[in-house]
Amino acid sequence: MRLSCISIFGYTYAMNIENLLKKKHIKVTTARVTLLKLLEAASKPVCYEEIKGNIAMDKATFYRNMITFEEAGILNAFESNSKMRYFELERTPHAHFVCTVCHGVECIESIDIQLPGYEIGTIVIHGRCRSCVEARA
Amino acid sequence: MRLSCISIFGYTYAMNIENLLKKKHIKVTTARVTLLKLLEAASKPVCYEEIKGNIAMDKATFYRNMITFEEAGILNAFESNSKMRYFELERTPHAHFVCTVCHGVECIESIDIQLPGYEIGTIVIHGRCRSCVEARA
DNA sequence: GTCTTAAATGCGACTGAGTTGCATAAGTAT
DNA sequence: ATACTTATGCAACTCAGTCGCATTTAAGAC
């Protein structure tokens, strides 16, 4: 299985998806490579609903691999207020904004939260996004 | 229906649950008064699972009233990363921390997030809480 | 207090994102 | 190539939360 070179958090330039998986001791399969390519192409977190039109695999395979990737530290996941789980390749820590009107998801880099004694995993902010506020939606 | 005086965000001292509901044009029922008393007594957000042992009503009634209260601006709700919905009486804006180990929920008053152009509703932070970090859990 | 009407409740059936069990297929090592 | 382990597809399942509907309860009129 040969792939064009990609760049995932740390594994830059010469590292491709196949090598990333091997480095993590995860078996290289067509489904996994497809998923990582899609996650890499997406500039924001995606959920199964959004991605299912672009993948042939069963949803069980999708979710099982998300768990595998999460345990390997390859991706982060969080839940929106509508019971859906969003996935994103691991990168520099940042928060996510989920719009309660249009249900869009955005990465928010501009905030820095410190909670002494706590270990922060994910930060999810809900509200009306800029577009929906402007449109008075 | 007579109740001892309580104090919910703004409706202080002389205002009881019955008057709060009347002010919001919500019919005063036993279920609603029970729920508001429990939410008032709780110092942190609660979910149906936690509260169901203390209430006699059906879960449909519980959830329908949570929606009624939310729409009336009496309470706020958010979802944890385990598909459960937590409810809390509306008060000064603050974030919530949900521990991924012990699943405990805490109110976090010490952070202040500004996102120009956005309208922030709820902020949920996931991670390991102080106790679980200390216990290396 | 009783009557009337609109809304709330309880029950059971349903929903839908995500999970699980199992037989089969596909990687990986020998 | 062969054996062995792990991943996949399918269908059945889970479970927090929702919905439809018959019955009960609150609130205003008399």
Side-chain angles (χ1 to χ4, degrees):
Chain A
M1 195 174 287
R2 273 277 118 202
L3 294 161
S4 60
C5 291
I6 58 157
S7 158
I8 300 177
F9 76 108
Y11 300 89
T12 39
Y13 306 113
M15 177 67 79
N16 60 26
I17 287 170
E18 191 175 341
N19 289 338
L20 169 67
L21 289 173
K22 280 179 178 164
K23 193 156 192 164
K24 296 283 189 181
H25 305 106
I26 297 171
K27 201 184 270 187
V28 179
T29 66
T30 317
R32 288 176 178 158
V33 173
T34 303
L35 288 173
L36 288 179
K37 282 168 90 171
L38 282 169
L39 286 167
E40 235 258 318
S43 55
K44 60 193 176 76
V46 292
C47 64
Y48 177 69
E49 269 301 303
E50 292 170 330
I51 220 177
K52 73 177 180 188
N54 304 318
I55 53 178
M57 76 195 70
D58 189 74
K59 64 175 176 172
T61 303
F62 173 87
Y63 284 115
R64 277 192 284 234
N65 278 322
M66 290 301 112
I67 292 168
T68 302
F69 293 158
E70 211 177 341
E71 285 171 351
I74 294 176
L75 63 76
N76 274 331
F78 64 90
E79 216 164 88
S80 80
N81 258 10
S82 47
K83 273 178 262 169
M84 276 193 300
R85 208 160 169 73
Y86 284 80
F87 305 93
E88 173 184 58
L89 288 185
E90 172 81 40
R91 56 186 183 87
T92 50
H94 60 284
H96 291 108
F97 190 94
V98 182
C99 182
T100 50
V101 179
C102 69
H103 301 103
V105 178
E106 296 174 42
C107 298
I108 304 287
E109 317 281 349
S110 62
I111 64 173
D112 180 41
I113 291 178
Q114 300 294 335
L115 282 179
Y118 293 75
E119 189 183 281
I120 294 178
T122 64
I123 300 170
V124 184
I125 306 167
H126 291 269
R128 289 196 301 154
C129 73
R130 203 181 300 225
S131 313
C132 289
V133 167
E134 278 171 11
R136 298 182 207 285
Chain B
M1 196 173 288
R2 274 276 117 204
L3 293 162
S4 60
C5 292
I6 57 155
S7 158
I8 301 179
F9 75 110
Y11 301 87
T12 37
Y13 307 112
M15 177 66 80
N16 61 26
I17 288 170
E18 190 174 342
N19 288 338
L20 169 67
L21 289 174
K22 281 180 178 163
K23 192 156 192 165
K24 296 284 189 179
H25 306 106
I26 297 171
K27 202 185 270 187
V28 178
T29 66
T30 318
R32 287 176 179 160
V33 174
T34 304
L35 288 174
L36 288 179
K37 282 168 87 171
L38 282 169
L39 286 167
E40 236 258 317
S43 54
K44 60 193 174 80
V46 292
C47 63
Y48 176 69
E49 269 300 302
E50 292 170 331
I51 220 177
K52 71 175 181 189
N54 304 319
I55 55 177
M57 76 195 69
D58 189 74
K59 65 175 177 172
T61 304
F62 172 87
Y63 285 114
R64 277 191 284 234
N65 279 322
M66 290 301 111
I67 292 167
T68 302
F69 294 158
E70 211 178 342
E71 284 171 353
I74 294 175
L75 63 75
N76 274 330
F78 64 90
E79 215 164 90
S80 79
N81 258 7
S82 46
K83 273 178 263 169
M84 277 192 300
R85 209 161 167 73
Y86 285 80
F87 305 94
E88 174 184 57
L89 289 184
E90 173 80 41
R91 55 185 185 85
T92 50
H94 60 283
H96 291 108
F97 190 93
V98 182
C99 181
T100 50
V101 179
C102 69
H103 301 103
V105 178
E106 296 173 44
C107 298
I108 305 287
E109 318 282 348
S110 61
I111 63 171
D112 179 42
I113 292 179
Q114 302 292 337
L115 281 179
Y118 292 76
E119 190 183 280
I120 294 179
T122 64
I123 300 170
V124 184
I125 306 168
H126 290 269
R128 290 195 303 155
C129 72
R130 204 181 301 225
S131 313
C132 289
V133 168
E134 278 170 10
R136 297 179 207 285

